[in-house]
Amino acid sequence: MDDEVFRALADPSRRRLLDLLNLRNGQTLRELCAELDMARQSVSKHLAVLESANLVSTVWRGREKLHHLNAEPINAIADRWINQYDRRRVQLFADLKTALEAEVTDNDFVYTTYIRTTPERLWQALTDPAFTEQYWQLHHETDWKPGSPMVWHQGDVVISGPGQVVVEHTPYTRLSYAWHHMTPEFAKKYEIDEATYDRISREPLSTATFELEPADGQVKLTVIHSGFEPDSTIRTMIQDGWPALLADLKSLLETSVASLQ
């Protein structure tokens, strides 16, 4: 996968596409073509290379296919190779990583990773308390039926409330639920200051969606966290939280198989 990422980044047209998505995430092919002096077919081919390298994730909204930056490959390269480069090259990686993870005008958070596991195993890791406690230190109390309430248990903190429900539950393919209420107990546990708590407690519930797709002996997992208001504080807070959490999930499933049987 590293080779694919480096090859994808080597082409100036593909870097330009990443720049355009960095300026405004979630664009259609038509919108991207409008900014480039090349044929629609050529843009499609470049996007296909970026998507194959996992640098771009796509999400369908009705009949529109939206393209989003995906920082996971850059994180993986940095984690694997960062210590082998001198300070100048390290800064280059840091600048690129920052650019790909920068806040964008489209408030949806979209992140794709590939995990060497099965859809059934990954689904279990997303829904079974025995798994979620290991990499997330929490579990959900629910029957997983669409519309059913969800109670979040994070240590001794219990979070529930109106609208905190299961949105979609299609085993091994798609899971979606409302993100939790921001309670005083949650703020205290995670040492959130009073001003920040006042802002996040006023925000509407957002929605976290997990899409699973088999891919050559792996599972392509795309997380879409949506429904944020402009200038959402919660959107800023989850920006770094999701990559770290998904890295822990990937590590659990790929390196601790025996202990999960």
Side-chain angles (χ1 to χ4, degrees):
M1 181 62 76
D2 287 357
D3 290 343
E4 290 186 44
V5 174
F6 285 125
R7 281 195 294 269
L9 293 174
D11 186 279
S13 295
R14 290 195 281 271
R15 293 199 300 272
R16 174 60 177 154
L17 282 168
L18 293 178
D19 287 339
L20 290 172
L21 291 175
N22 185 50
L23 290 173
R24 185 167 66 85
N25 223 358
Q27 295 193 57
T28 64
L29 174 60
R30 176 179 54 80
E31 290 171 323
L32 291 169
C33 287
E35 299 293 332
L36 296 169
D37 185 22
M38 66 175 68
R40 181 185 180 94
Q41 184 177 11
S42 298
V43 177
S44 294
K45 289 181 178 179
H46 284 307
L47 286 171
V49 172
L50 291 170
E51 189 173 354
S52 178
N54 201 24
L55 288 163
V56 167
S57 296
T58 58
V59 177
W60 285 94
R61 293 291 170 82
R63 296 182 178 180
E64 291 189 323
K65 185 179 183 181
L66 305 182
H67 300 81
H68 293 260
L69 280 175
N70 183 47
E72 195 273 344
I74 302 301
N75 290 336
I77 289 174
D79 289 343
R80 180 174 180 181
W81 299 106
I82 197 72
N83 293 328
Q84 300 185 33
Y85 290 85
D86 59 31
R87 182 174 300 176
R88 183 180 65 83
R89 292 177 181 176
V90 167
Q91 188 60 50
L92 290 175
F93 268 117
D95 291 345
L96 179 59
K97 182 172 181 287
T98 298
L100 290 178
E101 293 182 336
E103 199 70 31
V104 291
T105 55
D106 186 319
N107 254 7
D108 287 359
F109 176 86
V110 180
Y111 195 90
T112 300
T113 187
Y114 288 79
I115 303 177
R116 291 192 301 275
T117 189
T118 64
E120 293 80 7
R121 200 58 157 172
L122 178 52
W123 186 265
Q124 187 179 13
L126 292 172
T127 58
D128 188 333
F131 281 73
T132 58
E133 285 286 1
Q134 292 189 58
Y135 68 90
W136 204 345
Q137 289 76 58
L138 64 79
H139 69 270
H140 305 104
E141 181 185 345
T142 181
D143 61 12
W144 291 114
K145 295 178 181 178
S148 292
M150 294 181 68
V151 179
W152 291 52
H153 295 267
Q154 297 183 262
D156 57 353
V157 174
V158 179
I159 306 171
S160 62
Q164 192 172 297
V165 300
V166 178
V167 176
E168 182 176 349
H169 182 274
T170 305
Y172 320 130
T173 302
R174 186 178 170 92
L175 176 68
S176 183
Y177 50 76
W179 201 245
H180 63 77
H181 288 276
M182 299 297 167
T183 64
E185 294 78 13
F186 175 83
K188 181 179 180 181
K189 178 177 179 67
Y190 291 98
E191 300 180 343
I192 297 173
D193 63 78
E194 186 175 344
T196 301
Y197 170 67
D198 183 62
R199 292 196 301 273
I200 64 177
S201 64
R202 297 173 184 269
E203 293 190 23
L205 295 182
S206 53
T207 303
T209 300
F210 305 82
E211 296 182 345
L212 289 67
E213 180 182 346
D216 298 326
Q218 302 182 90
V219 180
K220 177 183 178 183
L221 173 64
T222 299
V223 175
I224 307 165
H225 200 152
S226 58
F228 299 104
E229 294 183 325
D231 302 318
S232 165
T233 298
I234 296 176
R235 172 64 174 82
T236 302
M237 294 170 70
I238 61 97
Q239 176 75 25
D240 294 324
W242 273 120
L245 177 66
L246 294 173
D248 288 344
L249 170 61
K250 179 181 174 74
S251 177
L252 176 71
L253 288 172
E254 292 187 345
T255 64
S256 305
V257 175
S259 65
L260 297 174
Q261 300 299 327

